Amino acid sequence: SLLSSAARTATTDSANQTNYNFHSVIFFWDITAAGTGTLTFRLFSNDPVNDSGRQLFTNGQTTTGMKIYIVSEGVGAAADDVTAIRSYPLAANVWVARIGHGDSSSWTYSLAAVLLPKF
């Protein structure tokens, strides 16, 4: 679990996550109560030297429900229950997930991730 379920009114980052040779990640973002405006999921790679971030992935949402994101090399277009896919490996040594709030309204959500090795 990166972010436990809670009501939030401001942009929230997960703790820095260390990638120990994993190739892919699947995110499960469960939005259970919507505010106004837009929430934006972002994935950042942190530079190991100066800890600055570079955005790898972004996707905005305005509704409740389970949102599933896959970041993995060689995957195709999103289908079925998958919300969005980014087709490249999780190459970052350190990464962080950020949920950005477009305004100060309250949203309730949780965020979990499953890391997968290269097959």
Side-chain angles (χ1 to χ4, degrees), residues 51-73:
D51 198 37
S52 65
R54 174 154 176 88
Q55 183 172 290
L56 300 176
F57 180 83
T58 185
N59 187 270
Q61 295 296 325
T62 58
T63 62
T64 60
M66 176 67 73
K67 315 305 180 190
I68 300 173
Y69 302 122
I70 299 174
V71 176
S72 181
E73 184 176 30

Side-chain angles (χ1 to χ4, degrees), residues 13-29:
D13 287 357
S14 71
N16 281 353
Q17 304 295 308
T18 302
N19 181 11
Y20 295 105
N21 300 315
F22 289 99
H23 185 264
S24 306
V25 61
I26 303 171
F27 292 98
F28 299 89
W29 183 22

Side-chain angles (χ1 to χ4, degrees), residues 2 8 23 29-30 33 44 47 49 57 69-70 79 84 87 91 94-95 102-103 110 113 118-119:
L2 299 175
R8 297 177 176 90
H23 185 264
W29 183 22
D30 191 13
F44 290 90
D47 182 323
V49 175
F57 180 83
Y69 302 122
I70 299 174
S87 183
V94 177
W95 56 269
D103 61 22
S110 62
K118 187 172 184 175
F119 297 106

Side-chain angles (χ1 to χ4, degrees), residues 1 3 7 15 21 26-27 30 37 41 43 46 50 68-69 73-74 82 86 90-91 98 100 103 107-109 114:
S1 178
L3 299 171
N21 300 315
I26 303 171
F27 292 98
D30 191 13
F41 172 88
L43 176 63
N46 285 1
N50 62 20
I68 300 173
Y69 302 122
E73 184 176 30
V82 176
R86 183 65 173 186
L90 180 65
R98 172 177 294 156
D103 61 22
W107 291 75
T108 302
Y109 55 86
V114 175

